[in-house]
Amino acid sequence: MATTKKKKTTRGRRNKKYFYIGGFKIKKTLFFVVISIVIILIGGIIWRNSYLWPWPSQDEIDQRLSDVVDACMYNEYSRACKSLTGKYNIEFEYCHALSDIPEIGKQIPVYGVAKLNSFKATSLDYVAPVMSEGAHAPGLLDSPVSARIKVREGQGEQGKGIYPYYGCADSIDEIDKTTDKSLITNPNTIALFGLSKIPQYSETYKSSGCTFHYADINNLWKQIPNISTIKNEGETIFKMYRKCSQRADSERSIKNLNNKISGYAKSYSVQLFFKKYDEWNTRSNVSCSWYDKSFPQRCGAGSDGSANSAGLGSMVKDFASEMQQHLDSNYFTSRVVVNN
């Protein structure tokens, strides 16, 4: 009995500063420090791997942008789309790309674009390029697509750059929606002015016979990728209906062709593309005369594209080529939705 009492007394005298686990003891202050560190580490790992982490890696940003495109394409009003765009602070919209020159009689490709809300688009206004080596070189100042030069100031700033999309809409049903706006009613920039000169085919009838009149296709229209198809259609009509007795069929075919051409010029999306080109092609110290009108721009839109042309380096295809280089970005991604 005396031995038992002694053991109880010994246990009762244990130091309250320690936790006793079997034959081991841990100081309470050390225990709480360790537990706190473990909780902080676990919490930090969870925070780091959550969307709340304020400094995501580029791979994580790319994945988020891709996830938004997956969730929102054709489902822009869905709960999943709205949840992801809100969670990641990303905007989703349907757009046309400035890298695609619109073609006559064809639908302009549509892209689903996911873009970080922190991205700020810089102006397309032309800035005189500077050689990357720090020196100017003859001829290169007029070649904005040269790989050796920096074309835009501020393009490398974080969160800023060229946004190579236009005509954007929140819904795929809204893009290319008919609008009363017209940029070619009284244009004062070179490409829109050239676009306003809509080529039309016609045929006249006299007692001596019938004469087919080819459309007057200016240098802007000649830069449209499928203009040769339009010319071939005109040639086909002329060959098919040589006889004046086929006047009704001839006039119907000519009207259809002319409607296709004028429909292209009157499309607001097409006009907006060439407006963007004009912004890019504007120069403060250069002017071009075309159709007896002066423009503060390079002559690219009114140029025949020859080596001696005044528009060398600023043709429509050069614009589209440069915009192609901006499609890959750390701040947005896209996927084609509708394509011809």
Side-chain angles (χ1 to χ4, degrees):
M1 294 295 291
T3 303
T4 304
K5 286 183 180 179
K6 187 176 182 180
K7 285 182 180 179
K8 286 182 179 179
T9 303
T10 303
R11 284 198 295 269
R13 291 176 181 174
R14 286 182 175 182
N15 196 328
K16 294 181 179 180
K17 293 182 179 181
Y18 293 88
F19 283 123
Y20 293 88
I21 304 174
F24 299 96
K25 66 178 182 179
I26 301 176
K27 198 171 184 178
K28 289 182 178 180
T29 54
L30 178 61
F31 176 80
F32 287 122
V33 169
V34 172
I35 291 297
S36 298
I37 291 173
V38 170
I39 291 174
I40 291 171
L41 287 174
I42 293 174
I45 292 171
I46 294 173
W47 184 38
R48 172 62 186 87
N49 293 321
S50 75
Y51 71 90
L52 296 173
W53 179 252
W55 305 286
S57 68
Q58 189 56 53
D59 286 342
E60 289 172 318
I61 292 173
D62 292 342
Q63 186 60 54
R64 292 178 183 183
L65 291 168
S66 180
D67 289 346
V68 167
V69 171
D70 288 338
C72 296
M73 269 181 50
Y74 299 112
N75 295 289
E76 58 271 19
Y77 297 124
S78 67
R79 180 178 298 177
C81 175
K82 292 181 178 180
S83 174
L84 284 181
T85 54
K87 180 193 296 186
Y88 296 143
N89 199 24
I90 291 174
E91 177 183 357
F92 178 82
E93 56 189 358
Y94 294 99
C95 307
H96 298 305
L98 292 171
S99 57
D100 301 321
I101 304 174
E103 299 190 36
I104 302 170
K106 292 186 177 181
Q107 185 170 2
I108 307 173
V110 178
Y111 297 80
V113 186
K115 177 181 65 175
L116 297 180
N117 282 332
S118 59
F119 175 80
K120 303 299 179 185
T122 55
S123 173
L124 288 177
D125 290 353
Y126 180 86
V127 177
V130 180
M131 292 291 295
S132 57
E133 295 87 356
H136 296 284
L140 284 179
L141 288 179
D142 294 327
S143 302
V145 293
S146 172
R148 298 179 61 197
I149 58 180
K150 178 183 176 183
V151 180
R152 297 286 185 277
E153 291 180 353
Q155 193 170 314
E157 293 180 18
Q158 187 174 10
K160 292 185 178 180
I162 299 297
Y163 192 54
Y165 300 97
Y166 70 101
C168 300
D170 294 335
S171 164
I172 195 168
D173 295 327
E174 294 296 318
I175 197 165
D176 292 329
K177 193 172 183 179
T178 303
T179 173
D180 293 332
K181 295 180 181 178
S182 178
L183 302 175
I184 60 173
T185 301
N186 188 27
N188 56 9
T189 53
I190 194 166
L192 288 176
F193 188 81
L195 184 66
S196 71
K197 306 295 183 180
I198 304 174
Q200 297 283 271
Y201 289 85
S202 62
E203 192 168 15
T204 56
Y205 302 89
K206 298 180 180 178
S207 57
S208 58
C210 48
T211 304
F212 187 81
H213 302 281
Y214 291 93
D216 181 15
I217 300 175
N218 65 33
N219 287 329
L220 183 281
W221 284 84
K222 287 177 182 177
Q223 295 184 53
I224 297 169
N226 69 332
I227 191 63
S228 59
T229 301
I230 299 302
K231 291 180 178 179
N232 290 338
E233 286 187 38
E235 290 284 355
T236 300
I237 293 172
F238 177 68
K239 291 176 181 178
M240 286 181 63
Y241 306 112
R242 288 183 178 275
K243 299 178 180 179
C244 294
S245 59
Q246 297 173 300
R247 179 173 180 176
D249 293 331
S250 175
E251 288 184 340
R252 182 171 58 252
S253 297
I254 291 171
K255 181 180 180 181
N256 290 339
L257 180 57
N258 284 339
N259 286 342
K260 184 188 296 187
I261 297 171
S262 61
Y264 176 86
K266 293 175 182 178
S267 164
Y268 183 72
S269 295
V270 170
Q271 294 174 13
L272 192 55
F273 172 87
F274 286 106
K275 179 179 182 291
K276 295 292 185 180
Y277 163 84
D278 279 331
E279 291 175 13
W280 171 85
N281 192 43
T282 298
R283 307 291 192 273
S284 60
N285 59 346
V286 174
S287 65
C288 176
S289 295
W290 192 36
Y291 282 104
D292 297 323
K293 187 175 175 67
S294 182
F295 305 92
Q297 296 172 275
R298 293 281 291 174
C299 290
S303 166
D304 62 7
S306 65
N308 297 322
S309 168
L312 186 64
S314 58
M315 308 292 284
V316 175
K317 66 179 180 181
D318 293 326
F319 170 64
S321 178
E322 184 180 323
M323 293 302 106
Q324 180 74 41
Q325 298 173 35
H326 295 287
L327 292 178
D328 294 324
S329 167
N330 292 336
Y331 301 97
F332 51 81
T333 191
S334 67
R335 191 174 306 155
V336 67
V337 182
V338 178
N339 198 6
N340 266 311

